Amino acid sequence: MELFITIIVTFFAGMGAGLGTGFAGMSAAAVITPILTTFLGIDPYTAVGIALSSDVLASAVSAYTYGRNKNLDIKNGLVMMASVLVFTVVGSWVSSLLPSATMGGFSVFMTFLLGIKFIVKPVMTTKEDMKEVSPQKRLIQSLIAGILIGFICGFIGAGGGMMMLLILTSLLGYELKTAVGTSVFIMTFTALTGSISHFAIGGAPDLLVMVLCIVFTLIWARIAAVFANKASPKTLNRATGIVLVVLGVVVMGFNLVTKLLFDMPVQ
């Protein structure tokens, strides 16, 4: 019975994380972490490590799918990735110097709002529009965007995938498929770095749970990425928006349940 529950929980955790990754370049940590802690009682730090390890292959396969369909900006993605990694450390260091604040719900709430945004105001930028920006300007934009994303993620400890998607589409003027493709490309390496550091510090996780999460996230990310690359811009905006809104509502619900359970006074 315990094995059956583990499989069911990891299946739905992987499905939510995979759809979020394949459609929107969303970090698996936003979905997998609260589900594992709520239903399997896994330590939050370990759950984040499992989520990040699930992100690695799912993001890599998604990036490959987007790249094969010419929806990936590798050159500027590498520049952004380098600045994200460096300034995540800077943001984390600055955060450690300040009084702690509760920022856990930021990423999830942003996921919900971004989903609404894609439904109400779709991103209809085309590749032709993107080509109007000079390579030099795009390179500088990527560097600045990486600094901003990295610092915010390091400072509040969440929101990497969503921050990248928001900045790539809204500020840098990326076409949606290219934005997601570039985001998952970057997330592959940031997730790998994060998962290694988590396990190096916190020790090995439950291998069965980790393997199941990796497999289920990978399967659903692949399905979502294939659909996204074949869909029209209008359909993709709606599908991405719906997935983000549903995931945002579900994860906020999990967080609320967890808070109520742990904050209940002992009789």
Side-chain angles (χ1 to χ4, degrees):
M1 185 64 180
E2 185 177 340
L3 176 60
F4 176 74
I5 292 174
T6 299
I7 293 173
I8 292 298
V9 170
T10 53
F11 173 80
F12 282 105
M15 180 174 68
L19 291 175
T21 299
F23 274 117
M26 178 180 172
S27 172
V31 179
I32 291 179
T33 302
I35 293 179
L36 294 186
T37 54
T38 302
F39 292 100
L40 297 182
I42 294 176
D43 175 73
Y45 188 86
T46 303
V48 171
I50 292 173
L52 289 171
S53 65
S54 303
D55 244 340
V56 177
L57 282 179
S59 295
V61 168
S62 297
Y64 170 77
T65 303
Y66 278 92
R68 193 176 62 181
N69 288 274
K70 303 187 186 304
N71 293 316
L72 172 59
D73 185 357
I74 294 180
K75 178 184 175 182
N76 294 300
L78 287 171
V79 172
M80 192 179 298
M81 180 181 69
S83 54
V84 165
L85 291 173
V86 170
F87 278 85
T88 295
V89 176
V90 174
S92 180
W93 175 73
V94 172
S95 178
S96 69
L97 302 177
L98 302 174
S100 60
T102 303
M103 299 296 290
F106 174 82
S107 178
V108 179
F109 187 61
M110 193 169 107
T111 299
F112 175 77
L113 291 181
L114 197 56
I116 295 291
K117 187 259 183 192
F118 280 125
I119 295 173
V120 176
K121 190 178 179 182
V123 176
M124 300 305 290
T125 307
T126 64
K127 283 188 172 62
E128 288 70 27
D129 295 330
M130 288 182 60
K131 289 178 181 177
E132 293 180 2
V133 179
S134 68
Q136 294 81 7
K137 183 178 179 181
R138 182 69 74 196
L139 198 67
I140 294 172
Q141 287 178 333
S142 299
L143 180 63
I144 295 173
I147 292 171
L148 180 62
I149 294 167
F151 184 83
I152 292 174
C153 293
F155 188 77
I156 66 172
M162 291 298 93
M163 283 298 300
M164 271 188 274
L165 186 61
L166 178 63
I167 289 178
L168 285 172
T169 55
S170 300
L171 297 183
L172 271 63
Y174 270 63
E175 178 258 345
L176 182 56
K177 292 180 183 179
T178 307
V180 176
T182 305
S183 177
V184 289
F185 171 73
I186 296 171
M187 288 297 296
T188 301
F189 299 96
T190 56
L192 178 61
T193 305
S195 61
I196 291 173
S197 63
H198 263 72
F199 295 145
I201 295 170
D206 185 312
L207 288 179
L208 176 62
V209 173
M210 184 175 75
V211 170
L212 288 173
C213 283
I214 289 173
V215 171
F216 290 137
T217 304
L218 176 62
I219 291 171
W220 285 101
R222 169 66 175 166
I223 292 171
V226 170
F227 174 84
N229 279 278
K230 292 181 179 179
S232 66
K234 188 175 182 180
T235 301
L236 180 58
N237 272 276
R238 286 180 177 174
T240 303
I242 291 170
V243 168
L244 292 179
V245 168
V246 171
L247 288 177
V249 170
V250 170
V251 176
M252 281 191 284
F254 284 140
N255 288 338
L256 179 61
V257 170
T258 304
K259 182 176 176 60
L260 291 175
L261 287 176
F262 283 98
D263 288 350
M264 285 177 62
V266 179
Q267 299 296 328

